[in-house]
Amino acid sequence: MNTPEGNVEKFNALLIRILEIPESTITDGLSPDDVKTWDSFNGLLIASELESLFDLQFSIEDISGVKNIGDMKQVLRKHGVKI
C-alpha cells in the first residue's frame, strides 16, 4: 500500500507503538516537548524503523533537522515517500 493514506497509516502506527500515544494526538506540530516517552533513544528508534519501513536511509542532517512530526514527514517526502 504505497498511497499517501496508506503511508500515513503506517507512519502513525509506528508512532503509536513506539511513543505509546493515542492516534488522536498525532499532529504535524507534535514534538518531543509534548510527549513524555519521546526521548533521544525513541527518536533514534523512530528514525531506524522509518528507514526499514520505507526502505530508505537518512543522513545525519535529515535526523538532526527533525523537531516535530511535520519535519519527519518533510524528510520522508524528500526521500520520495508519498505522505
Side-chain angles (χ1 to χ4, degrees), residues 44-78:
L44 292 174
L45 184 59
I46 290 167
S48 174
E49 294 209 15
L50 285 172
E51 287 180 323
S52 295
L53 184 64
F54 293 111
D55 192 29
L56 50 87
Q57 188 168 2
F58 296 128
S59 68
I60 295 297
E61 292 80 22
D62 289 336
I63 294 171
S64 65
V66 171
K67 306 296 181 219
N68 57 38
I69 298 297
D71 291 344
M72 274 188 210
K73 289 180 179 177
Q74 198 59 25
V75 169
L76 289 170
R77 287 184 196 105
K78 173 185 159 189

Side-chain angles (χ1 to χ4, degrees), residues 5 7 10 14 25 28 32 38 53 58 65 71 75-76 78 80:
E5 297 80 16
N7 288 338
K10 291 190 278 189
L14 186 146
T25 64
D28 284 354
W38 192 345
L53 184 64
F58 296 128
D71 291 344
V75 169
L76 289 170
K78 173 185 159 189

Side-chain angles (χ1 to χ4, degrees), residues 1-10 54 81-83:
M1 184 171 15
N2 191 16
T3 64
E5 297 80 16
N7 288 338
V8 167
E9 198 173 295
K10 291 190 278 189
F54 293 111
V81 177
K82 296 176 184 172
I83 193 163

Side-chain angles (χ1 to χ4, degrees), residues 13-51:
L14 186 146
L15 295 174
I16 291 164
R17 181 173 49 80
I18 293 174
L19 298 177
E20 301 172 350
I21 57 174
E23 186 168 17
S24 62
T25 64
I26 299 173
T27 64
D28 284 354
L30 190 70
S31 75
D33 293 336
D34 305 317
V35 182
K36 184 178 176 182
T37 55
W38 192 345
D39 56 17
S40 57
F41 178 80
N42 279 341
L44 292 174
L45 184 59
I46 290 167
S48 174
E49 294 209 15
L50 285 172
E51 287 180 323

